[in-house]
Amino acid sequence: MDKSPDAFRTISEVAEDLDLPQHVLRFWETRFNQIKPMKRGGGRRYYRPQDVELIKGIRHMLYDQGYTIKGVQKLLRENGNHFLVAIGNGDMAAVEAIAQRRQADQVPLTAAAQPRGDEDALVGQPKVKPSRRFFGLGKGDDEGPVQPDSSKLSRDNRALLQEALFDLLECKRLLDQVR
């Protein structure tokens, strides 16, 4: 007998549906505080339908799109849970709507509304615009491809290298624990 779409799922059901090991789901709970299954007596986990949808989006970004955990955390922080749920469901119209709404929220102020000095720095435009790596929106002059003869890295490449370094250090820490 199949469960209702609104029914809670056990960790084994979620792991089987998304083709993930159970220990990966437990690990993701430690890395993504947005995943909050209910826990009953004995620590048994029950995932809400919205938790499963979010996990599906996280899985897609990590496994299919090649993002790092830190990169997905940044996407969640900048765009919210609905963004990853829409990606996990393949709803590109919703993804575009969220991206456009976010871009509309970052419309620059007129010259009269710009802050005049550092004491007003909390009002107005942010000094550093956030990166939109997934859609390539909002790129600055120092982002994007760099000429081969140039001696500097683009901001995107620097961020990717920093994420890779973080992941390697985390792997080293885990390996040191096992030894």
Side-chain angles (χ1 to χ4, degrees):
M1 191 163 111
D2 288 335
K3 285 187 174 182
S4 155
D6 295 333
F8 285 39
R9 307 271 191 255
T10 63
I11 191 168
S12 60
E13 291 171 329
V14 174
E16 185 179 322
D17 287 347
L18 299 179
D19 193 28
L20 290 169
Q22 292 180 20
H23 69 271
V24 170
L25 290 172
R26 289 187 204 96
F27 174 72
W28 286 356
E29 286 176 32
T30 65
R31 296 294 184 232
F32 302 102
N33 58 4
Q34 294 87 352
I35 303 173
K36 298 175 190 153
M38 275 184 42
K39 291 186 183 175
R40 292 287 186 182
R44 189 170 174 121
R45 291 167 168 79
Y46 290 95
Y47 290 87
R48 297 169 187 86
Q50 59 265 31
D51 290 329
V52 176
E53 295 297 319
L54 179 60
I55 293 168
K56 190 188 304 182
I58 290 171
R59 181 190 184 289
H60 175 74
M61 295 308 290
L62 290 173
Y63 290 7
D64 300 336
Q65 296 296 320
Y67 273 71
T68 62
I69 287 177
K70 195 171 183 181
V72 175
Q73 288 170 338
K74 184 177 178 184
L75 279 177
L76 279 167
R77 207 174 30 253
E78 290 178 354
N79 301 301
N81 294 2
H82 297 295
F83 184 76
L84 278 183
V85 168
I87 288 173
N89 289 331
D91 187 0
M92 294 314 289
V95 170
E96 286 291 333
I98 292 169
Q100 288 174 357
R101 184 176 27 203
R102 178 154 165 73
Q103 198 171 30
D105 291 344
Q106 296 177 354
V107 172
L109 299 173
T110 62
Q114 291 290 336
R116 294 184 194 131
D118 285 340
E119 65 274 6
D120 295 331
L122 294 176
V123 180
Q125 267 187 299
K127 290 187 177 181
V128 178
K129 294 193 179 226
S131 174
R132 295 293 308 259
R133 189 171 99 190
F134 187 71
F135 288 103
L137 302 172
K139 289 198 174 211
D141 293 338
D142 61 341
E143 292 187 58
V146 175
Q147 298 301 324
D149 59 343
S150 175
S151 63
K152 68 176 190 171
L153 287 173
S154 70
R155 189 180 340 176
D156 282 347
N157 288 340
R158 267 194 312 262
L160 288 171
L161 285 172
Q162 286 174 339
E163 288 177 16
L165 177 62
F166 175 77
D167 291 342
L168 287 171
L169 290 172
E170 181 66 15
C171 290
K172 181 186 180 309
R173 185 187 67 78
L174 291 172
L175 285 172
D176 288 342
Q177 285 180 343
V178 174
R179 292 183 196 173

